Amino acid sequence: MKVMAIKQDYYEVLGVPRNASDDEIKRAFRKLAFQCHPDRNREPGAEEKFKEINEAYQVLSDPEKRNRYDRYGRVDVEGGFPDFGFGGLGDILEFVFDGFGTPFGRTAQRVPQKGDSLQSHLALSFEEAVFGCSKEVEIPRIEFCPSCHGIGSAPGTNPETCPDCRGTGQVKRAFGRYINLITCSRCGGSGTVISNPCSQCRGRGKIKVKRKIKVTIPAGVDNGQRLRLDGEGSAGLYGGPPGDFYVTFSVKPHNLFHRDGSDILYELFINFAQAALGDEVRVPSLDGKADLKIPPGTQNGKIFRFKGKGIPYVDGKGRGDLLVKAAIITPQHLDKNQRRLFEELAKVLPRTEPPLDV
């Protein structure tokens, strides 16, 4: 029996606490082994560091050895520590990631996966966005081949059992003294191969098509908002559901109204006389004309609110408001009579002066 002296704390070598779980130890080893393997790391001392990492992992990954190490600070190992048998960087990468991004030889499982989601833009007029509408949209997506129904074989034939993995989707590969299961490269893990592929999809089982679907757009959508159509994306993988289709809206501006959320703003131009004496006018709204009474003494920028005359809420529960903003027009060209009247008015109106003391 060989008694091995402890050169360095194994927990420190792997950079884990003494109460680290098996998974934490395994993850730490994978990371350090990848970084320090001599085929990848040419720095001096990398090979010795790599041996220390292997040594520490062999002890801490074995429950019995780890228990003795924690109790006595050393471990007795028959015949010394076994060699991993890594022949090069390719071997350690396959051991750590099995060549398919799957840690420690866990074969990539062909679990059902949702298909890709797709998106498109749709331009709407102001009225279409406010009141809602229906539009026909073209979707380029991936669908199951109608000829082979997604299996990839020519009609009347079926995929055959893969001769390399015998239908399991996995093959064994030796790494030194260890045997690891990896995904079969011939069938890609499906367990079957296609000797007589479908002529329409060339054995892929799927084709790219363009479909036109009718989209019902709810009232009240705004610029930049998206509508999701469940299940209208590309076909799923391994029996998974299809993806979704997203429609993003761009709304054209209106020549009279400005939108602010669910409210609409209309700027009403009036003259001095209307503002000073008051008036009754008709203003446009989404529902036709609306009567507005301008009170005497109305100031520039005054807001008049019409409740419930705005844009419908997308959830259908109510509407915003119509906001009418008074904008007083200053005349730029006066005839002689208009100028005389303004001059007479100026004589009787109080003159305003800005304050001179700051």
Side-chain angles (χ1 to χ4, degrees):
M1 178 179 292
K2 180 179 179 181
V3 178
M4 183 173 142
I6 303 302
K7 300 178 182 179
Q8 188 176 356
D9 187 293
Y10 288 147
Y11 292 100
E12 291 183 2
V13 171
L14 296 183
V16 296
R18 301 191 75 83
N19 62 347
S21 65
D22 292 342
D23 286 340
E24 290 174 327
I25 291 173
K26 190 178 295 184
R27 286 196 298 269
F29 167 71
R30 288 203 303 266
K31 179 180 179 181
L32 293 173
F34 180 81
Q35 293 175 349
C36 299
H37 192 277
D39 287 354
R40 184 177 187 273
N41 192 333
R42 302 294 183 179
E43 296 181 2
E47 184 173 358
E48 291 301 320
K49 179 66 175 176
F50 181 69
K51 292 179 180 178
E52 289 181 1
I53 294 168
N54 286 343
E55 190 175 284
Y57 178 70
Q58 280 298 301
V59 173
L60 299 185
S61 63
D62 186 299
E64 183 179 347
K65 294 176 184 178
R66 182 178 179 182
N67 182 54
R68 282 183 291 177
Y69 175 73
D70 289 342
R71 294 181 64 184
Y72 305 113
R74 70 180 193 180
V75 60
D76 299 327
V77 182
E78 289 286 350
F81 285 88
D83 182 12
F84 275 94
F86 292 135
L89 179 59
D91 280 350
I92 190 172
L93 288 177
E94 295 241 24
F95 175 76
V96 176
F97 298 107
D98 94 347
F100 295 92
T102 309
F104 276 87
R106 294 198 304 272
T107 305
Q109 299 296 318
R110 293 213 161 202
V111 297
Q113 298 179 26
K114 187 174 182 178
D116 291 337
S117 291
L118 308 173
Q119 62 178 349
S120 179
H121 287 81
L122 187 60
L124 301 175
S125 68
F126 188 87
E127 291 78 10
E128 288 174 333
V130 169
F131 297 110
C133 62
S134 293
K135 290 279 188 177
E136 194 173 63
V137 179
E138 186 175 78
I139 303 178
R141 66 186 181 191
I142 303 296
E143 294 183 357
F144 290 115
C145 174
S147 179
C148 67
H149 304 290
I151 64 174
S153 291
T157 65
N158 291 306
E160 302 170 354
T161 300
C162 176
D164 289 3
C165 65
R166 298 180 181 178
T168 64
Q170 301 174 331
V171 293
K172 294 180 180 180
R173 182 169 179 180
F175 299 100
R177 301 179 186 180
Y178 296 87
I179 300 297
N180 195 18
L181 289 175
I182 64 173
T183 302
C184 176
S185 60
R186 183 165 184 174
C187 67
S190 66
T192 59
V193 292
I194 299 172
S195 58
N196 190 10
C198 171
S199 60
Q200 185 171 352
C201 66
R202 299 180 181 178
R204 290 188 290 266
K206 296 178 181 178
I207 58 173
K208 190 171 184 179
V209 298
K210 291 183 178 181
R211 297 291 184 196
K212 289 185 177 181
I213 63 172
K214 189 175 182 180
V215 180
T216 300
I217 301 166
V221 297
D222 202 354
N223 192 56
Q225 289 184 336
R226 292 199 311 176
L227 178 67
R228 185 181 68 189
L229 304 177
D230 294 336
E232 294 291 351
S234 290
L237 297 175
Y238 320 128
D244 302 324
F245 183 68
Y246 293 88
V247 182
T248 303
F249 302 114
S250 58
V251 182
K252 299 176 183 178
H254 196 272
N255 62 337
L256 294 178
F257 301 121
H258 172 74
R259 180 169 181 171
D260 182 14
S262 292
D263 295 334
I264 57 173
L265 178 66
Y266 173 72
E267 194 168 28
L268 174 64
F269 294 97
I270 58 176
N271 59 38
F272 283 132
Q274 289 175 299
L277 304 176
D279 198 0
E280 291 186 6
V281 297
R282 306 194 77 186
V283 295
S285 76
L286 296 177
D287 305 310
K289 301 293 183 178
D291 294 326
L292 172 64
K293 186 175 182 179
I294 302 173
T298 294
Q299 299 298 306
N300 187 59
K302 169 70 176 179
I303 299 292
F304 301 96
R305 184 181 296 270
F306 291 82
K307 287 283 189 179
K309 291 287 187 179
I311 296 172
Y313 299 135
V314 177
D315 60 8
K317 299 179 180 178
R319 295 174 59 174
D321 301 332
L322 167 63
L323 308 178
V324 178
K325 181 181 179 181
I328 301 176
I329 304 174
T330 301
Q332 295 180 331
H333 304 286
L334 301 174
D335 59 27
K336 291 182 178 180
N337 186 53
Q338 291 171 336
R339 184 174 184 82
R340 179 183 60 80
L341 293 173
F342 268 103
E343 288 175 347
E344 291 181 1
L345 183 61
K347 294 177 182 179
V348 297
L349 289 177
R351 180 181 176 83
T352 59
E353 295 284 352
L356 298 179
D357 296 330
V358 180

